[in-house]
Every structure is written in C-alpha cells, then in structure tokens.
Amino acid sequence: MSKSITIIGAGPGGYETAAAAAEKGFDVTLITDGPLGGTCLNEGCIPTKCLCRNAEVLEDFAHSEEYGITASYSFDFKKAVERKEAVISQLRSGIEFLLKKVRIIEGKASFKDSHTVLVGEEEIESDYIIIATGSVSALLPIPGNDLEGVITSKELLSIDVIPRKLCIIGAGVIGLEFASIFNSFGSEVTVLEYCPNVLPRFDIDLAKRLKQSLSKKGISIITSAKVESIEHSPGGLEVKYQFKDNRFSILSDKVLMAVGRRPNLKSLNFDEIGIETTPKGVVVNNYMQTSVPNIYAIGDITGGMMLAHVATFQGRRVLNHLTAGCPSEGPVDKIQLDLVPAAVFTSPEVATIGKTEEECKAEGVAFKIRKSFYRANGKALSMNSPDGYCKIIEEEKSGRILGCHIIGSHASDLIQEVTALISMDGNIYDLSSIIHAHPTLSEIVLNAAD
Ligand code: NAD
C-alpha cells in the first residue's frame, strides 16, 4: 500500500510538494484554510509582479517621445486591478489541475497526535506530515500601528484608489517594490528605513546604487530613520520619526508597514505534540525534519530566507528524503539549500546570488571584483535601459565565482546563469569560455568575466 502524506498549507511549498508527491505515488491530502497558491499567488509575488508590469508600461509611455512616439494616455487603476485578478485566477486554475490526484480539504488544521491532523470533526491519519503554513506581516510595535490607513502589503494590493501620498516604513524587498510601483502610478512616495542602507542584507554597493536610481525617479528615501508613532491629523496620517537626534514628521494618505514577515507560529498547536520552535520558526534539520521525525516543515514557517523558491526546493528535499528511505545521514540529492538567488522587482531590478563583498571581507577571503555596465551593452541601449551593472566577486587565487550582484533590466533573469555556475563550482574562466548570443543582455554577465 502506498505511504500517505498530509500537507498543511497550500502556498508554493505546500501545493508544489503535494503535486510532486502524488506523482511519485504517495497518497496525498492537502489542507488549507485559504485560497490555493498561498501568499505568493494571492497576496504576494504574483499580484505584485502584475502591478510591476503596469508600472513598466507607464514608464514607457512617460518616455515615449524618446522613441519618436507622441502619445496621450490615461491610467485606469481599476483595469490594472482586474488584470491582476485575472492572472491570479488563471494561475489558480493551473494549480487545481496540478492537484488533480490530491485530496484537498478546506479548513483549519490542528494536531491530534504525531500522525493525526484534525480539521473540524474530520481526523486525517498519515505516515508523514509536512507543515507549510508560511508567514505573516510583522507590525512595528508603535502607537498608531492599528489606525485605519496603516496597512500591510496584503491590503495595499487590494486598494481601489491610488494614494496621493504613500509613506512606506521599511526599505526592504517589499517596501522598495511598492515604492517603485506607486511612484510610477503617480503617488508621492516617502520611504523610512531604520538601517543606514536600503536592502540591509544585500551587497552595499548594489543597495546604494538602487537607492540612487529610485531617488532620481522622485522617491524620497530616508535611511537611519527611527519611526516612533503614527497619528491621525487633519492632513492625513502623520508619521513621526527620529533622524540624527531630531524629530520630523510626514503626512500621508496610507502608511505601508513593510518591516519584515514572521513565521506563522500561531498556525498550529506545535507545543502540544512536541515540535520544537523558536521565535525564528520551526526548528528543522537538513532534511527539513522537525523534532518529531515523521513531521517535516518547509518554507517561511522555518524562518530563514522567506522566498517561494526556497519553500519549493525544501519540499523537493523532503520528498527526496522520503523516497531515499529517510536516512539519518548523508546526502539525498544535489540541492544546495544555502545557494539561493534573490530578486527585487523595482525599476531598475536587482538580483543577487552568493556572497556579498561585505561577507567576503568578514570571512577574510581574498577576492577580486569584476564589473560591466549596461551602458556599454548594445541590447541594453537599444532597449533604452542604460542604467545598471553586473558585479562578479571571484576568489583571488582560483577565480572561483563567489557571488554576483546585478542591477538593471532583467537582472532577475540574468542572475540564473551565474547561479548555475556557482552551483557547479564554476570559475570566471568557465564563464568567459561560454558563447553568449549577441546582442543580448546576457553579454553584460559575460563582459564582467572577460
Ligand atoms: P525585509 O526583511 O526584506 O525588510 C524589512 C525592512 O524593514 C528592513 O530594511 C529593515 O531594516 C526595515 N525595518 C525594520 N524595522 C524598522 C523600523 N522600526 N523602522 C524602519 N524600518 C525598519 O522584509 P520585507 O520587505 O517586509 O519582506 C518580507 C519577506 O518577504 C522577506 O523575507 C522578503 O525576502 C520576502 N519577499 C521577497 C520578494 C521577492 O523575492 N521579490 C518580494 C516580497 C517579499
């Protein structure tokens, strides 16, 4: 008889693992208390990317005269929202099709014991359980964080009127993507960031360049700013912050809280069955097993890099562990869960893989930097996208590629080539030996190696 798996949570971690497990012959039950696709599809990556595309088209219109095109245009935000909903619904149908061999139960799950999950009156027994219940937006613990108009990315994605003034707290990935989108939509955007740089965990050089580009577009980004409170005032929401020992405030129609996400530790009764957690998330080993060995956890609930593709590959690790007979040591696949590309869909885009310059310095690694610029690339100029660069960090003595950081058009696509090379322990000479098609943006990566 086939082994059974119950998966709790239907985001990219949960539903992709469910579909793959069913294909492998497991008897799979997927439990979800929200729509299929989770945060990524319904209130994260996908809707944001739809709005990013709107922003891109608007930017093209704004620069149309540079192409010899005189256009009069208007922007119907309602239509943009409808397009986003249509994309989500098309993708959701695709997921339903993928899950045709999976039993889906709608409702809130809780553990009865280490092999039994309850949903209402129903008891679901299985050999293995995979927890994929994701994360929730964090809120700054300051007075006024619950006022009307103080929202998270989830609510900002479902507004129907573009705010005239938008204040964003946090210049991380979410903060900057929305700053970029709503700047293109015509909002007056101010971003307040606690750290001295935007995108604190990214290569500093790259982060500074992004700040410069976004500032040039009219986004006001104030770093080293400590937000203290939010109040209602006659002019709107007043966000009060401290900057260099002085107190300032700004007025806005909406305030977006984008100060991180935290694992959804309230999603299940972990303690009752002895699953170890810390405030950072559910504790797992290299096979994604929790402290209860037949129960696995994947994705944002485990803390770490809260990215859809991380959840997906952690799910693949679980299935590889199960099909390998659950060994307690040794590799079960070639997936490198510590080598994760990341992209920020601002305009210009940013993408990163491997070590930053600061990490290399901290580890005492002797390294060299190679850079090439979009402005010297034929395709980039023909696309009217001269802004950006590709920076490759190589180990000085071997030429081994340690990291790559790209800012500019399609950075998120370009990073994948370097990701493949790093994952195969490639070096700069391998990269410069690969023929790249001309004229393409990929030559920017090649030129950095040359
Ligand atoms: P984040 O951790 O990327 O950024 C949060 C930012 O808020 C940081 O810059 C932090 O310094 C700042 N901050 C914290 N406290 C503050 C304060 N008191 N005042 C001002 N600033 C403060 O988190 P996020 O942007 O909310 O994103 C959450 C998660 O979702 C991340 O893990 C992110 O990677 C993921 N995500 C990824 C993508 C993508 O891959 N394109 C898109 C959206 C979200």
Side-chain angles (χ1 to χ4, degrees):
M1 215 176 78
S2 57
K3 294 270 187 189
S4 54
I5 306 181
T6 296
I7 300 176
I8 309 170
Y15 81 76
E16 291 203 29
T17 308
E23 280 306 316
K24 283 182 190 291
F26 287 96
D27 173 8
V28 186
T29 302
L30 178 65
I31 304 171
T32 178
D33 64 352
L36 290 177
T39 301
C40 169
L41 175 61
N42 298 289
E43 53 199 56
C45 320
I46 302 300
T48 315
K49 259 75 277 169
C50 292
L51 296 186
C52 283
R53 176 67 188 138
N54 267 91
E56 230 171 55
V57 174
L58 275 170
E59 273 195 37
D60 281 347
F61 267 109
H63 291 272
S64 68
E65 287 189 2
E66 292 169 28
Y67 301 89
I69 301 167
T70 311
S72 72
Y73 62 95
S74 61
F75 177 35
D76 184 346
F77 183 56
K78 204 167 149 255
K79 284 244 166 74
V81 172
E82 281 166 14
R83 192 182 78 87
K84 162 180 84 83
E85 293 305 323
V87 171
I88 293 174
S89 131
Q90 184 178 346
L91 289 168
R92 199 179 296 129
S93 308
I95 296 174
E96 281 162 10
F97 178 75
L98 270 180
L99 296 174
K100 56 190 184 303
K101 293 184 186 161
V102 172
R103 178 163 77 121
I104 300 172
I105 299 180
E106 285 175 24
K108 187 145 180 63
S110 63
F111 287 111
K112 182 178 177 201
D113 58 49
S114 62
H115 284 279
T116 317
V117 174
L118 300 174
V119 182
E121 301 287 292
E122 194 165 356
E123 294 196 3
I124 303 111
E125 263 186 57
S126 52
D127 298 299
Y128 307 105
I129 295 169
I130 303 175
I131 302 161
T133 49
S135 59
V136 290
S137 295
L139 279 188
L140 262 192
I142 52 167
N145 68 3
D146 56 351
L147 290 177
E148 201 189 326
V150 180
I151 55 180
T152 67
S153 52
K154 176 180 171 178
E155 290 91 42
L156 189 54
L157 280 167
S158 51
I159 55 170
D160 40 26
V161 178
I162 299 170
R164 209 168 45 83
K165 291 183 176 187
L166 174 65
C167 174
I168 298 177
I169 306 178
V173 183
I174 294 183
L176 292 188
E177 285 185 359
F178 281 101
S180 187
I181 291 169
F182 280 91
N183 168 257
S184 301
F185 288 0
S187 301
E188 193 181 303
V189 181
T190 305
V191 185
L192 300 172
E193 165 60 46
Y194 183 74
C195 292
N197 290 301
V198 303
L199 297 179
R201 287 178 294 277
F202 282 62
D203 190 86
I204 290 183
D205 183 19
L206 190 85
K208 283 187 173 161
R209 178 66 180 257
L210 179 63
K211 184 182 174 207
Q212 224 175 43
S213 294
L214 296 178
S215 304
K216 241 174 49 194
K217 293 187 165 190
I219 301 172
S220 162
I221 303 176
I222 303 162
T223 50
S224 305
K226 184 169 182 259
V227 177
E228 294 180 322
S229 65
I230 308 168
E231 286 167 23
H232 264 309
S233 81
L237 289 160
E238 186 175 7
V239 182
K240 298 188 169 174
Y241 64 97
Q242 214 188 90
F243 176 72
K244 292 186 179 160
D245 295 331
N246 289 309
R247 290 201 149 79
F248 299 88
S249 73
I250 55 162
L251 285 173
S252 66
D253 306 325
K254 294 264 186 249
V255 177
L256 170 68
M257 281 271 180
V259 294
R261 295 182 62 88
R262 52 181 172 73
N264 193 2
L265 289 173
K266 290 194 182 136
S267 57
L268 285 159
N269 48 339
F270 296 109
D271 294 347
E272 247 166 79
I273 56 156
I275 294 179
E276 192 186 340
T277 62
T278 71
K280 286 187 176 159
V282 173
V283 178
V284 288
N285 65 14
N286 194 34
Y287 304 117
M288 312 311 298
Q289 277 172 303
T290 66
S291 50
V292 179
N294 71 301
I295 302 181
Y296 294 77
I298 59 173
D300 291 7
I301 190 72
T302 63
M305 291 184 86
M306 294 194 182
L307 297 169
H309 44 287
V310 171
T312 301
F313 276 80
Q314 288 177 336
R316 290 187 187 194
R317 168 63 52 83
V318 173
L319 293 186
N320 293 334
H321 187 239
L322 294 179
T323 48
C326 303
S328 53
E329 56 184 272
V332 290
D333 55 42
K334 286 179 154 184
I335 299 169
Q336 297 167 43
L337 289 175
D338 55 352
L339 184 65
V340 180
V344 188
F345 295 87
T346 40
S347 168
E349 274 182 16
V350 158
T352 177
I353 181 69
K355 290 188 195 309
T356 63
E357 212 180 313
E358 294 70 40
E359 283 168 341
C360 291
K361 282 180 190 153
E363 290 171 18
V365 181
F367 64 90
K368 275 202 322 212
I369 301 284
R370 292 169 182 256
K371 251 187 187 180
S372 70
F373 295 87
Y374 275 63
R375 62 173 181 267
N377 176 272
K379 181 75 184 287
L381 288 190
S382 63
M383 289 165 61
N384 206 14
S385 297
D387 190 12
Y389 66 69
C390 167
K391 166 178 173 177
I392 297 181
I393 305 177
E394 68 174 284
E395 192 179 46
E396 191 163 30
K397 66 175 193 303
S398 65
R400 199 159 64 90
I401 303 173
L402 301 174
C404 178
H405 311 281
I406 305 177
I407 175 166
S409 284
H410 294 275
S412 57
D413 300 311
L414 296 180
I415 204 70
Q416 206 50 43
E417 175 180 19
V418 189
T419 304
L421 272 163
I422 299 181
S423 77
M424 294 172 151
D425 216 14
N427 61 39
I428 208 84
Y429 315 108
D430 295 322
L431 176 53
S432 61
S433 311
I434 299 170
I435 300 178
H436 287 63
H438 175 77
T440 61
L441 294 179
S442 72
E443 290 169 296
I444 298 169
V445 177
L446 172 68
N447 287 344
D450 279 343

